[in-house]
Amino acid sequence: MDDSMEQCAVGASGPPPSPRQTADPARAALVDASGGVPRGPVKRRAPAVAAGAPEWHADPYADALRTGRGPLFLRRGDGWLLPLDVERWCAPPDEADATVLARCRGEVLDVGCGPGRLVAALAARGRPALGIDVSRHAVARAVREGGAALCRSVFDPLPGAGRWATLLLIDGNIGIGGDPAALLARARELAAPDGTVIVETAGTELDERVVVRVDDGRGGHGTPFPWARLGTRALLAHGGRAGWRAAERWRVGDRRFVQLRRD
């Protein structure tokens, strides 16, 4: 989101940097000795920051997280705006989120965890879960809420690779990096052999790649980054090519979800 923000490491979202082999000095505080996920909630711990990693730039995003309110949008170059539901992201899990939480099993990786409502809810239930996000402001809020989180891109080296039982791509995070095929391929690297990915898809059938920036509707905006939006049919097509099949589909209100398993 904005060039004036300090650099960190993506997750609610932003373009994937090239994979790096940087060490994570805070991993011991956030994960168990085997490199897996935290065994309980982590409270009031400073977020881990991967040195030199680019943050999803957006001062408007940081401001929205501080207040828990919008307005906030993704703006395309042609002026089209996609509203971002900051209030819902910063609130406790809603009815639709509850259906996602109920389907989480084993160790959970929330990709693009944002302010952390899902990882905090999982931690409160005693479920091992880790959130990753490139916004240090989002990670800090997730940790304050009681979740465990790292400031990291999904394309960076991550703890527990190949052992996560459940991956979450909620709130449109299938769009991270603007390349769903690459993201779903990366999910196969991160998931356990019997692992699943739960994806929230767009409310309409579309398959688009765009360059956007975060915009507060009042003149504040971040730097451009690639993004994607997928409806359910497009997700299943991309997933099939990446070795995933649909295990379940459901809808709550205007939100749509798909659970993927390996072919």
Side-chain angles (χ1 to χ4, degrees):
M1 305 181 162
D2 204 288
D3 282 332
S4 62
M5 293 181 69
E6 292 182 19
Q7 297 285 299
C8 165
V10 156
S13 323
S18 299
R20 302 179 318 279
Q21 299 300 319
T22 53
D24 176 18
R27 178 180 298 182
L30 291 174
V31 301
D32 66 21
S34 68
V37 301
R39 299 299 170 178
V42 177
K43 293 184 179 293
R44 296 181 179 85
R45 195 184 300 277
V49 177
E55 185 167 4
W56 187 42
H57 299 299
D59 275 343
Y61 182 60
D63 291 341
L65 290 185
R66 278 193 289 269
T67 63
R69 299 191 306 273
L72 199 66
F73 308 91
L74 293 182
R75 178 185 287 272
R76 283 194 319 221
D78 62 4
W80 173 91
L81 295 174
L82 174 68
L84 299 178
D85 200 348
V86 176
E87 288 84 355
R88 178 172 61 79
W89 296 350
C90 293
D94 62 13
E95 179 185 3
D97 294 330
T99 67
V100 172
L101 294 169
R103 289 167 171 82
C104 290
R105 62 179 184 82
E107 298 180 339
V108 181
L109 180 67
D110 186 359
V111 178
C113 66
R117 73 187 189 281
L118 299 180
V119 290
L122 289 165
R125 299 178 182 193
R127 181 67 56 85
L130 176 69
I132 58 171
D133 200 292
V134 293
S135 166
R136 64 184 177 87
H137 303 282
V139 168
R141 180 158 182 156
V143 172
R144 287 197 302 271
E145 293 297 321
L150 291 173
C151 198
R152 193 71 60 84
S153 165
V154 66
F155 295 96
D156 288 341
L158 293 173
R163 299 197 300 275
W164 295 98
T166 306
L167 272 70
L168 300 181
L169 288 166
I170 307 302
D171 300 327
N173 284 331
I174 187 62
I176 290 172
D179 187 345
L183 183 55
L184 290 167
R186 176 59 171 154
R188 280 184 65 88
E189 297 173 351
L190 295 171
D194 61 346
T196 66
V197 183
I198 301 177
V199 183
E200 183 171 357
T201 59
T204 57
E205 291 300 342
L206 76 168
D207 185 356
E208 70 173 17
R209 314 289 178 278
V210 292
V211 174
V212 296
R213 58 174 59 193
V214 176
D215 191 301
D216 64 8
R218 300 182 295 271
H221 57 78
T223 56
F225 59 90
W227 195 250
R229 292 201 301 152
L230 299 185
T232 299
R233 283 201 296 266
L235 171 69
L236 297 180
H238 287 288
R241 289 190 288 271
W244 296 100
R245 61 176 174 81
E248 186 180 4
R249 308 181 216 182
W250 70 98
R251 176 177 177 177
V252 181
D254 60 356
R255 297 177 64 191
R256 294 169 170 81
F257 304 91
V258 180
Q259 186 175 52
L260 300 173
R261 294 188 184 275
R262 292 177 188 267
D263 274 339

